[in-house]
Amino acid sequence: MPAPSPLYDPNQLRTFLAVAQTLSFTQAARRLGLRQSTVSQHVRRLEEATGRALFTRDTHTVELTEGGEAMLGFARTILTAHERAAAFFGGTRLRGRLRFGASEDFVLTRLPEILESFRHEHPDVDLELTVELSGTLHRRLEAGRLDLVLAKRGAGQDAGAARGELVWRDRMVWIAAEGFRPDPDRPLPLILFPQPAVTRARALDALEREGRAWRVACTSGSLSGLVAAARAGLGVMAHTRGLVPPGLVPLPERVGLPDLGDVDFVLLYGRRPATAQEAAGALARALLAAGDRLQAPVGGAPPAPGGR
C-alpha cells in the first residue's frame, strides 16, 4: 500500500510563512507571540512531515531552499482553505465598514487580487481603500481616519519600532532604467516621492552622510509617475529590492552610491470601532498569509531567496 500523505498542521504552516516572509526566526516569534524555540520546533516538524529542508540558516542569515519556495504556495492554499472552512461552519458573517490604507509601494503588486478574494469571502464588509505615502497613512491612522494600514517602517528605528506587526523586511536599493549610469562629477539626479515619504528621507539622509551632491529631477506622489520618469532615464530612485517595477533594475555597487539599509513593511491597527475589529483582523490574517505574494510586482520577476 502507498504511504499515507502527510498531514500539515495549520499552526506549523503559519509559523513557516512568518519565517519565510521575515527571514528571521526571532521576528517570526515576535509576530506570532511565540517563543523562538517553539518557532524552531514548528519548522522542524514541518520539515519532518515534508521530508525536505525548508530553510538554510547560519548565525546571520535565513534563506528558503527550493523545497521552501515550493511550500510557500502550498501553505497559502492550505491556510486559505482552512480559513474558509472555519468561516463557513462558524456560522458568522463579518459586517461593517473597514477603512484600509496601503502604501504606494503596492500599486503594481498582487494586492488587488488579495483584496478581491477578501471581498468575495466577506461580502457584507464595506471595504474602503486608501492608497497613499506611508508617512501620510501613519498620520491618518493616528487621527482615527483608518482602521488598518499596510505601510513601511524603517528597520531598527527607535521611534515606534515596537509598533506594528512585521509582514516582511527587505533591503532598499537604488534603481534606474537599464544601462543608466549617473555621472560621478555631476549632482545625482533624483526621482522622489514628496514628503513625508520614507524612501525620500532615506535617500536624502544617505547622500548627505556621504557628502554626495544631488538635485531633484522628478517629484510625484504617484508610483506610476516615478516609474515613468525613471524609465525615461531622468534619474535614479530609492526603492525596495523585492518590489522593483518592470523596466527598471538595481544599480550595481560599483556605481558607488551609498547604502540605503533595510526597511520593514508592517501592519498597524487604528482605534477601531467594534464593527471594524473583526473585519480588520480577518484582512490582516489574509495579508500576513499572502505577504510573500506582495514582494514582486505583477509582470516582474519574483525575489530571489534571501532577496526579500
Side-chain angles (χ1 to χ4, degrees), residues 15-52:
T15 301
F16 163 76
L17 280 179
V19 176
Q21 291 164 4
T22 62
L23 293 179
S24 167
F25 280 67
T26 302
Q27 292 292 339
R30 290 176 182 168
R31 181 164 115 177
L32 298 169
L34 301 173
R35 289 181 294 184
Q36 191 166 334
S37 60
T38 303
V39 170
S40 297
Q41 183 184 66
H42 283 184
V43 170
R44 184 172 64 253
R45 288 180 176 175
L46 189 59
E47 288 179 327
E48 291 171 353
T50 61
R52 303 276 190 92

Side-chain angles (χ1 to χ4, degrees), residues 41-283:
Q41 183 184 66
H42 283 184
V43 170
R44 184 172 64 253
R45 288 180 176 175
L46 189 59
E47 288 179 327
E48 291 171 353
T50 61
R52 303 276 190 92
L54 301 177
F55 297 101
T56 59
R57 48 194 180 272
D58 56 31
T59 55
H60 300 293
T61 61
V62 176
E63 296 185 4
L64 282 163
T65 64
E66 184 177 350
E69 293 281 357
M71 177 54 78
L72 279 175
F74 294 129
R76 284 196 305 265
T77 300
I78 295 168
L79 288 174
T80 298
H82 189 268
E83 291 279 344
R84 288 177 177 173
F88 180 86
F89 291 107
T92 59
R93 288 171 68 109
L94 295 179
R95 301 178 186 277
R97 179 187 179 206
L98 174 59
R99 301 167 300 173
F100 172 58
S103 73
E104 274 277 341
D105 302 87
F106 303 106
V107 168
L108 302 178
T109 72
R110 300 194 181 279
L111 178 62
E113 297 175 15
I114 298 169
L115 296 181
E116 180 184 17
S117 178
F118 177 83
R119 290 186 63 252
H120 177 74
E121 294 298 319
H122 305 288
D124 294 331
V125 174
D126 294 325
L127 180 62
E128 180 182 307
L129 174 64
T130 297
V131 178
E132 262 290 3
L133 303 178
S134 291
T136 301
L137 293 175
H138 284 284
R139 293 175 181 177
R140 292 191 179 186
L141 189 76
E142 291 295 329
R145 296 165 60 188
L146 293 171
D147 304 309
L148 182 70
V149 160
L150 175 61
K152 289 194 290 290
R153 176 190 72 194
Q157 289 180 346
D158 292 331
R163 295 187 62 236
E165 195 166 7
L166 180 65
V167 181
W168 86 85
R169 175 170 292 171
D170 204 350
R171 296 290 295 171
M172 288 188 65
V173 294
W174 297 99
I175 65 173
E178 190 166 1
F180 179 88
R181 294 294 180 270
D183 186 339
D185 297 323
R186 302 182 65 182
L188 182 69
L190 295 179
I191 298 171
L192 300 169
F193 280 119
Q195 294 179 341
V198 171
T199 52
R200 178 189 181 99
R202 187 71 64 84
L204 297 184
D205 287 347
L207 292 169
E208 293 292 342
R209 283 197 308 270
E210 299 236 340
R212 177 70 185 265
W214 54 271
R215 66 176 178 86
V216 176
C218 173
T219 302
S220 174
S222 162
L223 177 61
S224 297
L226 298 184
V227 170
R231 287 176 179 166
L234 296 186
V236 304
M237 56 188 287
H239 204 65
T240 308
R241 179 169 57 184
L243 295 175
V244 176
L248 302 177
V249 295
L251 290 171
E253 290 186 8
R254 65 176 180 274
V255 171
L257 296 182
D259 181 73
L260 292 166
D262 294 335
V263 66
D264 290 345
F265 287 88
V266 297
L267 281 168
L268 297 130
Y269 300 88
R271 297 186 293 274
R272 295 163 287 169
T275 54
Q277 289 181 8
E278 290 187 3
L283 180 55

